[in-house]
Each structure stands twice: as C-alpha cells, then as structure tokens.
Amino acid sequence: MNFNKLFTSESVGKGHPDKICDQIADLVLDECLKQDVNSRVACEVLGSNGLIVISGEITTKAYVDVVQVAWKVLKPLGYSENDLKILANINKQSPDINRMVDRSDKTLGAGDQGIVFGYATDKTNSMMPLSMVLANDLVKTATKLIDQHKFPGAKYDMKSQVTVDWTHTTPRIDTMIMSIQHTDKVKRDNFKNFVLNKIMIPTAKSYKLNTDFKFFINHAGDFIIGGLVGDTGLTGRKNIVDTYGGAARHGGGAFSGKDYTKVDRTGAYFARYIAKNVVAARLAKRCEIQLAFAIGSVKPVSMLIETFDTNSVPIDKIYQAVTKTFNFDLYSIVKTLKLDRPIYHALSVFGHFGRTDLKLEWEQTNKVDALIKNSK
C-alpha cells in the first residue's frame, strides 16, 4: 500500500439503485412544490427484487400521482412495467410535528432536531474537494455519452472512485476506478479502452492533471446485471456522495425527499453557503461550519466554525463576521436560498454542492464584501 498523502472520493450515476430512489423522492417533492409551496414532504423510496415502495409523510394541497412520478424517473433509465411493480404507502405529516413547524406566531420552525455540516476549500474553482469533483465528472461524462448514444453498450448504473495524491505542492491523480453496467454484447477490451480514452484521460486533462494514473475499469469482470435488478436501492444511502466525498464531516441526515423545513437539507445548504463565502473572502483556505437545531427552533441552537489552522484572521473575527453577515432565522434561510421552489430533482444525482451546471443560491459568493467588512 502507498503511504503517501492520498485522499479518495467516490460518486455514482443516475442508474445506481440508491440514486434511482433519491430521484423518485425528489421528483415527488418537486411535483408537490409546483402546486403548493407550503407542501410538507418526507418521502422515502425502497426498490428491491422487482418492487418499488414509495412511503413517507406528505401534507399538501397538491394532487400528485406518486406512481406516475416514479415512472418519469424509471422509463428513461430503461425500465418498463414488465420489470417493476410500484406500491404507494403515503401518510400525512404528524400533527405534533406540524404544530412545531408551522408555528402560531407565523415563523417557521425546524422539522426535527439535527446537526449539519457545510464545507469549502480553495483547492478548486468550485471550492469542492478535488477528488470529489473528479469522481463526479467521471460519471457525468459517462452519463452524457450514454444520453448522446456515443457510449456503445453502456447502461446508467455506474460508480467512480478517484484517489488524489497530495504529498507534494501540486496534486496528482494516483488512481481512477470506474464500474459501468453494460449489455452482454460488449467486448471487454473495447469497453475498457473507451472508458480510459474517452472518459478518464479527458477528465484528467480538463483539470490539467497527470494522465499516468493507475486505473481499474470493471475490475470484477462483466457488469451485466445491475440497477434495481442486481441490487437494492434506498433513499438517502449516498450521503457522502451527495456532499464532500468524505473530506468533511457529515451530520448523518439525508437530503432527498425532504422539503425545506427539514434542517437535514436546509441547514446543510446554509452551512455550505457560509463556508463557501468565508473561503471566497479569503478569511480561511478551508472552512467547515457545523449547525445544530432543535425541533421547532426558529434558529440554530449552536454553530461551530473550523478552519483547520488556515485562517488569515483570528477565529473570533470570523465568528463576528459570520454572525453579522448572515441571518440565521429559518424562514430567512429558506427565502435567501430560494428553497421553496421545485429545484430538487436536478440535485438528486451528481451531488448537491459545487454544481456549476445549476444556478443554486447556496453556491453564490455574494457575501464576500460583507464578510470582509464585518471581520475588521
């Protein structure tokens, strides 16, 4: 084993069983929000052995056929009604929780207790960990090639893994790994050469990184049986893929299928917003924000700022700047980040952060000037 300073992250494609479930849950949420911005949604999806179960608690004025929503996700991935049966088991939000969320004083309360983390680093333009950026780009590129019918024999169930060597000042790719489902007519050598030369090497070159990395492509052999036929899928089981690839801590709460009153999601987006602006303001090279909430709380009950000794100003000045610059009221967070819109299905694959392909409010660096001023 190489004991250099190596760090590894992974990603998965939209045909991965867990990601299929995430996409269904988030599309259900979007369909509810399109008709009723006050929808309260906690949607969970399980897929296994030819059966998909859509469950959870949903209180909304919208009419949403969740089974038909599921097919909007499944059919483009190649599934038909001969492959899968879908069951819906939806209940309404508990009135006890609803009273805590939609408060009598017209403020918005947290839908549950929980801890969340947000992170940013100056090592990439998106302020995301390099290994996570590369892992996501591998599956994005493969998916795009399949969509364009330029990747013969490939299917949408795939995983990537990238190890970056940080031993020296300039990072190097140590290893790239991809496993991609394919038809039974694929010639293994041709398939591997395509992945290396059309996906891996171009991705490395796009970041001006080395191309002499070690690589493993479908290392276990044929990958013919995949998706919900080959494995079980479950909402919220790819938390690290959804966030920072292991480079930052995670509070444990999943995102997909949860509306903006669920602080697992909203709090994590807000923490990323703060961390990214702190780094963009050059108050620190790395920043991790922890927020903690109590059920029904209008604001977080605590905040921790970690800069890993990379801060350029005293840490108390960063606390001062953050508390003066950002409004921590939950209702204000929702409005600032525009979370009451149907934006979530697009986030359910390829990560929730560092998405340069989407206009996301928590990825904006519009608080830099205020942070610098308030840190004086």
Side-chain angles (χ1 to χ4, degrees):
M1 183 182 291
N2 188 343
F3 289 101
N4 289 347
K5 192 175 181 181
L6 305 177
F7 191 83
T8 304
S9 297
E10 72 164 349
S11 186
V12 299
K14 64 182 182 180
H16 186 281
D18 294 332
K19 276 291 142 200
I20 292 173
C21 294
D22 285 346
Q23 290 170 84
I24 293 171
D26 271 336
L27 191 55
V28 168
L29 171 59
D30 279 355
E31 293 297 325
C32 289
L33 290 174
K34 284 179 183 178
Q35 301 176 49
D36 179 10
V37 296
N38 296 312
S39 296
R40 301 293 178 250
V41 179
C43 183
E44 309 284 351
V45 181
L46 166 70
S48 180
N49 195 29
L51 175 67
I52 290 179
V53 179
I54 305 173
S55 186
E57 295 76 45
I58 300 177
T59 299
T60 181
K61 295 177 181 178
Y63 173 75
V64 176
D65 186 332
V66 297
V67 173
Q68 290 305 310
V69 169
W71 282 118
K72 289 181 181 180
V73 173
L74 293 163
K75 286 184 177 180
L77 297 175
Y79 293 95
S80 72
E81 295 182 9
N82 294 325
D83 302 317
L84 298 167
K85 181 179 180 181
I86 303 175
L87 298 179
N89 182 25
I90 304 293
N91 198 2
K92 289 187 177 182
Q93 184 179 66
S94 161
D96 292 338
I97 295 176
N98 187 256
R99 280 192 297 270
M100 300 296 289
V101 173
D102 297 307
R103 297 160 55 101
S104 59
D105 59 2
K106 305 302 181 183
T107 58
L108 191 64
D112 202 351
Q113 70 180 51
I115 58 172
V116 298
F117 291 90
Y119 178 78
T121 173
D122 68 352
K123 297 297 186 184
T124 62
N125 290 335
S126 63
M127 298 187 191
M128 289 289 288
L130 179 58
S131 54
M132 187 77 257
V133 171
L134 293 169
N136 276 329
D137 276 12
L138 289 176
V139 293
K140 283 181 185 178
T141 300
T143 298
K144 183 178 180 180
L145 290 170
I146 296 173
D147 289 342
Q148 296 174 342
H149 307 288
K150 294 180 180 179
F151 192 174
K155 294 187 176 182
Y156 288 107
D157 187 2
M158 65 184 76
K159 300 182 78 171
S160 67
Q161 188 170 293
V162 179
T163 300
V164 176
D165 187 345
W166 291 99
T167 303
H168 305 291
T169 304
T170 302
R172 288 177 53 83
I173 301 174
D174 181 83
T175 308
M176 281 187 169
I177 302 173
M178 291 199 79
S179 296
I180 304 174
Q181 186 187 3
H182 56 79
T183 65
D184 58 1
K185 297 180 181 179
V186 161
K187 293 182 179 180
R188 190 179 299 177
D189 289 342
N190 292 345
F191 193 82
K192 289 184 176 181
N193 286 332
F194 185 96
V195 173
L196 176 63
N197 294 299
K198 299 295 184 180
I199 300 174
M200 289 182 169
I201 289 176
T203 298
K205 286 183 175 180
S206 70
Y207 290 91
K208 298 181 180 179
L209 292 166
N210 60 296
T211 58
D212 59 343
F213 48 81
K214 298 187 290 291
F215 61 90
F216 300 91
I217 299 167
N218 285 19
H219 195 55
D222 289 335
F223 184 8
I224 297 169
I225 301 172
L228 290 170
V229 176
D231 204 352
T232 296
L234 185 65
T235 311
R237 202 157 54 173
K238 286 291 174 282
N239 291 347
I240 303 305
V241 170
D242 284 342
T243 53
Y244 307 102
R249 287 173 284 192
H250 194 290
F255 297 160
S256 290
K258 297 179 180 179
D259 70 78
Y260 53 82
T261 67
K262 313 300 192 293
V263 291
D264 285 337
R265 177 169 232 161
T266 296
Y269 292 171
F270 188 56
R272 162 67 175 176
Y273 183 47
I274 297 170
K276 187 172 183 180
N277 276 272
V278 167
V279 173
R282 299 184 179 180
L283 302 182
K285 292 180 179 295
R286 293 172 62 201
C287 183
E288 184 183 76
I289 303 289
Q290 185 203 50
L291 300 174
F293 294 84
I295 188 169
S297 62
V298 176
K299 296 182 179 182
V301 297
S302 73
M303 176 178 66
L304 175 70
I305 301 176
E306 173 63 77
T307 62
F308 310 95
D309 296 323
T310 67
N311 46 302
S312 60
V313 300
I315 193 69
D316 61 315
K317 292 292 185 180
I318 299 179
Y319 273 97
Q320 171 185 297
V322 167
T323 54
K324 284 185 176 181
T325 302
F326 294 92
N327 187 339
F328 286 77
D329 180 87
L330 185 58
Y331 180 83
S332 176
I333 293 171
V334 171
K335 292 303 179 182
T336 298
L337 302 185
K338 300 180 181 179
L339 298 177
D340 53 357
R341 300 175 296 150
I343 59 173
Y344 298 103
H345 179 238
L347 295 167
S348 56
V349 288
F350 311 134
H352 295 245
F353 307 116
R355 295 293 298 273
T356 57
D357 57 323
L358 302 173
K359 184 175 173 55
L360 303 172
E361 299 303 318
W362 56 91
E363 292 297 320
Q364 305 305 308
T365 52
N366 51 9
K367 297 295 186 180
V368 168
D369 291 342
L371 281 169
I372 294 171
K373 178 182 176 180
N374 290 330
S375 66
K376 302 297 184 183

